[in-house]
Amino acid sequence: MAPMTGVGEEMHALVERLYPLCRSITGDGVRATLDIVGEYLPLTVHEVPTGTQVLDWTVPQEWNIRDAYIADGTGRRVVDFAASSLHVLGYSVPVSRTMPLTELRAHLHTLPEHPNWVPYRTSYYKPEWGFCLAQETLDALPDGDYEVRIDSTLADGHLTYAEHVVPGQVADEVIVSCHTCHPSLANDNLAGIAVATFLARALAERTPYYTYRFIYAPGTIGAITWLARNAERIERVKHGLVLACAGDPGQLTYKRSRRGDAEIDRVLRHVLAVSERPHRIDEFTPYGYDERQYCSPGFNLGVGSLSRTPYAGYPEYHTSADDPDFVSPEAMADTLAVCREAFAVLDRNRRYLNLSPYGEPQLGRRGLYDALGGRSDTKQAQMAMLWVLNLSDGEHSLLDVAERSGLPFDSVAGAADALHEAGLIKT
């Protein structure tokens, strides 16, 4: 695989390419996004018809938009969807009218505290229309009549989501989920899409132990739709991770699953601690991204969420300031590296049984101590072997060994490999 710096640049290029597209929970913008991701990975695309019952929800009508603007009396577009997909309230119903600014103001959304930023606003499940613009643009508009045009359609169609599967040695699955419903927002969540895509490519370079299923779906309704349509598969899902806000300059943040002590929770805690990266571990709350769907009590899957600065934790969140310049190749590469490290631990975490449990077996005559001679970490490797032997009772995993001993997981797993090859332990 290319150096991580090169991968970071590739991920950033993908973010820049996806950034102009107008995505929502349905529509052609989602399909165009998946078409581009499909150039990097083979995707299975699913189209779920409007009106389909999915758990307690119903797939809504499909929204598409071709043009939208506010024009002054001279015909000049003072707000133009062509300049940014954020300028239109998401899921706006069509409108074609002329009205005074006093009436129009009720349909305008700004951020007075950041007067040159455009906010991101939606109205998915309530018929409404509106525009988002910079406060300084609004302040410069004189009173008078304005032409208001939103060329959109709300009609029966489909909700679109996609999957990519990296086959593993076992049918048990790890799901990696990212949302595809946000328009021109680079960190939330194009960076998550990019990291997921390049993580899938990295995993495909080897045959992982688990089968990894990548889910590209609109937030909330997409994850709910996937869960509703995959009831027979749920018992196979052993671990999972939601990726969001993966490219900003903040420290890494891991949000635990609802269980709080799921294996993925422990793996991320261990990997982040051992790496000595600045990081934060947050407890589960039933608010945020789609971890709350996967962790809803009826499913209670072991799914956590990895981000850098969490949602709503940075001023640029859900504004035009969340552009490609806000995310960096280095930050995305770092997020990708943590995912790879975590899944390497997850894939190698086993429970072993000591085949010589009465007293300490003689390691020297099996060449195990000799094999360590001259290594800079000889003492650590010896301790790892002794810890693995002592805790290989069929109940403790290698992660248990690493946590209890304070040794790095890689050292513990390496010791287990050597002991297994010598016939001293078995899975």
Side-chain angles (χ1 to χ4, degrees):
M1 186 169 178
M4 291 304 290
T5 52
V7 173
E9 294 290 348
E10 289 183 72
M11 288 190 288
H12 197 269
L14 176 56
V15 167
E16 290 182 312
R17 190 175 172 195
L18 293 173
Y19 183 75
L21 299 177
C22 182
R23 280 163 292 273
S24 188
I25 56 174
T26 62
D28 292 335
V30 176
R31 296 185 187 95
T33 298
L34 296 176
D35 284 345
I36 291 173
V37 174
E39 297 175 17
Y40 293 77
L41 297 171
L43 295 178
T44 300
V45 177
H46 305 271
E47 298 276 11
V48 185
T50 296
T52 302
Q53 188 72 25
V54 286
L55 305 181
D56 194 45
W57 295 59
T58 303
V59 173
Q61 288 189 310
E62 182 176 323
W63 183 69
N64 285 294
I65 183 167
R66 287 156 291 281
D67 193 16
Y69 60 86
I70 301 172
D72 63 17
T74 70
R76 179 178 67 92
R77 295 188 177 193
V78 295
V79 178
D80 192 354
F81 170 75
S84 171
S85 62
L86 294 178
H87 276 310
V88 173
L89 179 78
Y91 254 64
S92 280
V93 298
V95 60
S96 181
R97 295 174 55 189
T98 298
M99 65 182 68
L101 181 60
T102 53
E103 181 182 349
L104 178 57
R105 282 181 180 275
H107 298 275
L108 302 181
H109 306 272
T110 64
L111 288 169
E113 66 274 25
H114 296 288
N116 63 336
W117 293 359
V118 177
Y120 164 55
R121 300 286 186 269
T122 65
S123 184
Y124 293 143
Y125 302 105
K126 178 183 177 183
E128 184 59 89
W129 65 268
F131 288 85
C132 300
L133 65 159
Q135 181 67 45
E136 62 185 17
T137 301
L138 177 58
D139 292 342
L141 296 181
D143 287 335
D145 289 342
Y146 289 84
E147 181 190 359
V148 179
R149 170 78 166 161
I150 298 179
D151 181 13
S152 65
T153 54
L154 267 169
D156 287 354
H158 297 83
L159 179 147
T160 308
Y161 72 91
E163 296 175 287
H164 171 78
V165 176
V166 180
Q169 299 170 36
V170 298
D172 289 345
E173 293 187 359
V174 179
I175 58 172
V176 180
S177 181
C178 58
H179 58 274
T180 57
C181 53
H182 284 17
S184 296
L185 299 172
N187 195 44
D188 181 20
N189 184 46
L190 295 179
I193 293 173
V195 170
T197 300
F198 280 79
L199 175 60
R201 293 177 66 174
L203 289 170
E205 293 175 356
R206 57 183 177 85
T207 301
Y209 177 73
Y210 289 106
T211 293
Y212 285 81
R213 182 174 300 274
F214 288 78
I215 303 168
Y216 297 83
T220 303
I221 186 67
I224 285 171
T225 299
W226 186 87
L227 287 164
R229 289 166 55 88
N230 288 272
E232 79 289 345
R233 190 191 308 281
I234 296 302
E235 64 180 17
R236 295 190 209 167
V237 177
K238 304 305 179 184
H239 320 282
L241 191 63
V242 171
L243 290 173
C245 300
D248 69 80
Q251 68 179 6
L252 283 156
T253 302
Y254 177 72
K255 177 182 173 182
R256 298 179 194 264
S257 72
R258 177 179 181 269
R259 298 179 191 174
D261 62 349
E263 191 170 342
I264 190 72
D265 301 328
R266 297 174 57 209
V267 166
L268 262 298
R269 181 183 65 194
H270 177 81
V271 166
L272 288 169
V274 169
S275 73
E276 297 185 345
R277 290 177 173 89
H279 69 277
R280 192 174 89 191
I281 305 292
D282 286 350
E283 297 302 320
F284 175 80
T285 63
Y287 187 77
Y289 292 110
D290 283 328
E291 68 279 354
R292 70 188 197 275
Q293 310 306 334
Y294 302 117
C295 293
S296 55
F299 296 108
N300 197 26
L301 298 174
V303 176
S305 177
L306 182 66
S307 60
R308 302 194 72 84
T309 307
Y311 61 89
Y314 51 98
E316 298 83 356
Y317 178 77
H318 280 193
T319 77
S320 57
D322 184 0
D323 62 15
D325 290 337
F326 180 63
V327 300
S328 72
E330 295 77 15
M332 286 188 284
D334 186 50
T335 306
L336 174 62
V338 168
C339 291
R340 296 186 65 175
E341 291 164 22
F343 289 158
V345 172
L346 203 60
D347 268 357
R348 296 176 72 188
N349 192 30
R350 303 279 187 283
R351 286 178 171 80
Y352 286 89
L353 187 65
N354 188 338
L355 298 178
S356 182
Y358 299 101
E360 182 182 302
Q362 190 176 19
L363 301 179
R365 69 178 173 87
R366 292 176 171 86
L368 292 173
Y369 276 153
D370 293 341
L372 302 175
R375 287 175 44 165
S376 60
D377 63 342
T378 296
K379 181 64 176 177
Q380 183 182 87
Q382 289 176 349
M383 287 305 301
M385 284 189 181
L386 296 176
W387 272 109
V388 170
L389 283 167
N390 192 270
L391 292 180
S392 290
D393 52 9
E395 296 182 4
H396 292 85
S397 69
L398 294 185
L399 184 58
D400 292 326
V401 177
E403 289 181 336
R404 185 163 176 180
S405 67
L407 296 169
F409 182 88
D410 281 349
S411 180
V412 170
D417 289 343
L419 292 167
H420 185 266
E421 187 175 341
L424 286 172
I425 59 175
K426 71 174 183 177
T427 54

